[in-house]
Amino acid sequence: MSISQDWITNELEDTELEALHRSPSVEYSFYNAVRAGDMEAVNKNCEEDSFLHLKGTGILSRNPLTNLKYHFVVTTAMLTRYCIDGGLEPEQAYRLSDFYILKMDSCTTVRQIADLHHIMARDFTGKMILQKKSSILSRPVMQCVDYIYGHIKERITIQDLSEHTGLSPSYLSRVFKQNLGVSISDYIREKKIEKATHLLRYSDKTVVDIANYLNFSSQSHFIQIFENFTGLTPKKYRDKYYKSMW
């Protein structure tokens, strides 16, 4: 049977079964809540397990687990684009999307997929809240934030950022501190430690590998900075949180 014949048959069956799709306004409302950083609305959606209420959303697979996985991909793709439209840095949004879709791919139950969906939705929402706060930042500071995000594996200096923004190191340091309340060097360390926590939770990289990956001068220096920020050594952090979500 050809594709066109398949489609005609499918249309007749759907008409007889009255398998109508619900209004897209339901999904749009959720996507807009995430883009707006409306954590209250997103939490309500998650608490009600709305993602599992699939009536009217269309059947993408006859297998319930695969069907939900396909819907997860659709939702993640839509949230990614809504958040980019709302101002989230595109590369960050796409990386976040790839991360959650790959995590979902290893889920083996409907409950795991739903729980991951809620984590993903809250993560995007949280990033939109931060993005809206950062929208009041001056352009040079935003340039620095984007540069640090894209070069987090490297050794980043104030001179690097000065050359990137075209401002003197002293002036840039003053503006950065006025905008974010922390020095450039403290901000860089904070972002490196944030990346380290993700690697400790979701990868099998050793502490030495992570220290090298993030360009710390030594393992002992990495451990010291990590403990200052988190209150735990990298080993204790991994023991406590490693893949705890999954």
Side-chain angles (χ1 to χ4, degrees):
M1 184 181 291
S2 68
I3 292 293
S4 58
Q5 288 174 317
D6 254 352
W7 167 246
I8 292 169
T9 302
N10 188 77
E11 275 284 83
L12 289 171
E13 290 175 353
D14 281 352
T15 301
E16 290 173 2
L17 293 171
E18 295 185 349
L20 300 177
H21 287 72
R22 69 189 184 192
S23 168
S25 62
V26 177
E27 280 82 9
Y28 293 163
S29 175
F30 175 65
Y31 302 150
N32 279 313
V34 173
R35 177 171 59 183
D38 187 350
M39 190 64 82
E40 183 179 352
V42 172
N43 280 333
K44 184 173 184 294
N45 181 282
C46 294
E47 288 161 6
E48 293 174 352
D49 254 348
S50 297
F51 179 63
L52 293 180
H53 302 163
L54 296 179
K55 184 177 180 180
T57 61
I59 299 172
L60 307 181
S61 171
R62 302 299 177 187
N63 180 294
L65 185 66
T66 304
N67 184 54
L68 194 64
K69 285 189 172 186
Y70 288 155
H71 278 287
F72 184 101
V73 172
V74 171
T75 299
T76 306
M78 292 298 292
L79 288 182
T80 299
R81 283 145 184 83
Y82 263 67
C83 288
I84 290 173
D85 184 61
L88 191 62
E89 202 277 323
E91 183 60 27
Q92 182 182 17
Y94 286 128
R95 287 184 187 181
L96 203 61
S97 171
D98 293 347
F99 170 79
Y100 280 110
I101 288 174
L102 284 172
K103 283 292 176 188
M104 178 277 299
D105 195 45
S106 64
C107 291
T108 56
T109 68
V110 165
R111 186 69 261 164
Q112 285 178 342
I113 297 172
D115 289 344
L116 182 59
H117 167 271
H118 303 340
I119 294 167
M120 179 266 296
R122 287 175 172 130
D123 195 356
F124 268 105
T125 307
K127 284 179 170 52
M128 291 308 297
I129 291 172
L130 293 175
Q131 190 279 328
K132 290 183 183 305
K133 287 181 179 178
S134 70
S135 65
I136 62 173
L137 302 181
S138 66
R139 179 173 173 77
V141 174
M142 281 307 301
Q143 287 178 311
C144 289
V145 169
D146 288 342
Y147 183 93
I148 291 166
Y149 178 82
H151 297 78
I152 197 64
K153 296 187 295 182
E154 303 167 16
R155 179 176 178 271
I156 306 168
T157 66
I158 295 176
Q159 187 60 41
D160 293 330
L161 296 172
S162 171
E163 293 173 3
H164 181 64
T165 58
L167 300 174
S168 70
S170 59
Y171 179 75
L172 182 60
S173 297
R174 186 165 66 252
V175 171
F176 195 96
K177 182 70 177 286
Q178 288 172 347
N179 273 235
L180 291 178
V182 294
S183 68
I184 291 176
S185 54
D186 281 346
Y187 183 85
I188 292 170
R189 280 192 288 268
E190 179 184 337
K191 291 303 167 183
K192 282 183 177 286
I193 295 304
E194 182 181 296
K195 182 70 172 180
T197 62
H198 294 164
L199 293 170
L200 288 166
R201 293 180 80 150
Y202 306 122
S203 81
D204 295 319
K205 285 181 179 289
T206 66
V207 172
V208 175
D209 287 341
I210 293 172
N212 291 334
Y213 176 78
L214 294 172
N215 228 298
F216 281 90
S217 57
S218 66
Q219 181 184 355
S220 59
H221 181 233
F222 168 61
I223 293 172
Q224 179 188 356
I225 298 298
F226 189 94
E227 191 168 9
N228 287 343
F229 272 92
T230 67
L232 297 170
T233 64
K235 183 181 184 306
K236 288 182 179 177
Y237 187 93
R238 169 164 276 170
D239 290 343
K240 184 174 182 179
Y241 294 111
Y242 181 61
K243 293 186 178 177
S244 59
M245 288 184 182
W246 322 113

